[in-house]
Amino acid sequence: MPYAIDLDKISVTEYETLLKTANLLPGRKILLENIDSNFAAIRGQGIQSVGELKQAISTKRKLTAFAAESGVPETYLVVLRREIGSMEAKGVPLRNFSDIDEHMLLALEAKGIRSARDYLERAQGTSAELDALCELVRINGVGAYAARAFLEAGYRRVQDVADADVTEMLHRVNRANDEKKYYKVKLGEKDIRFCIDCAQLLMRYQD
């Protein structure tokens, strides 16, 4: 199973549409300002995919040069780079998951398998519990503790979250966390909506 979305599979035009409908964080709503003209300018530089765009603005020097050539404001591109980065699943260490058998962890570590990415790419099927936890942290915004709460609430796969009803999932996840105290923050509807949106994005572009 691929751990992260292949950004080369998402066209710049598709990504523009995604941004228009995304539940953006407050600090990233600037991406909606002049979005049509900014993305037209990006396409005008010959950029066809999000993967290409990421590469084109991957460093400060590249970003500054791209802003000058395209006419897209540098401040806009900085935020855009952060938003693109948020689509890429992070390699959560296996030891961040609570209540995992120590002997199994040591056996995996002996094979060089130390993160959720390592596990899904090289050892999936070793443990149904780790299969679920490592898949859930592929979702942007879901860390080790939230994954444990999602699993406890009955959500084992990215597909489960993508198909979830916001109100029902919020109730089930908060109830699971109230019982087991995985984390202190109480999730709200916007948090769950964000996770569902990210899970749907993963399902759409993971193949």
Side-chain angles (χ1 to χ4, degrees), residues 173-189:
V173 170
N174 278 340
R175 183 175 61 188
N177 188 54
D178 286 343
E179 292 174 358
K180 298 296 180 69
K181 310 297 183 187
Y182 294 118
Y183 46 82
K184 295 180 180 179
V185 178
K186 195 172 185 68
L187 298 181
E189 188 170 303

Side-chain angles (χ1 to χ4, degrees), residues 2-15 18 47-58 80-90 117 201-202 205-207:
Y3 187 73
I5 294 173
D6 184 352
L7 297 180
D8 288 325
K9 292 183 177 179
I10 308 176
S11 74
V12 168
T13 299
E14 286 177 302
Y15 188 54
L18 286 171
I47 303 296
Q48 297 183 3
S49 73
V50 177
E52 291 176 359
L53 177 56
K54 178 192 171 186
Q55 281 298 112
I57 59 176
S58 60
L80 183 58
R81 183 171 64 186
R82 290 175 189 152
E83 183 63 21
I84 292 172
S86 73
M87 297 174 68
E88 299 182 295
K90 307 302 185 290
R117 180 188 292 271
L201 190 65
L202 267 172
Y205 293 107
Q206 71 176 356
D207 296 326

Side-chain angles (χ1 to χ4, degrees), residues 7 12-13 27 51-52 66 68 84 90 92 107 113 115 120 138 146 149 160 164 166 168 178 188 192 196:
L7 297 180
V12 168
T13 299
E52 291 176 359
F66 191 89
I84 292 172
K90 307 302 185 290
V92 176
I113 299 168
S115 71
L120 287 184
R138 295 173 62 219
D160 295 337
V166 175
E168 180 185 0
D178 286 343
I192 295 297
I196 291 174

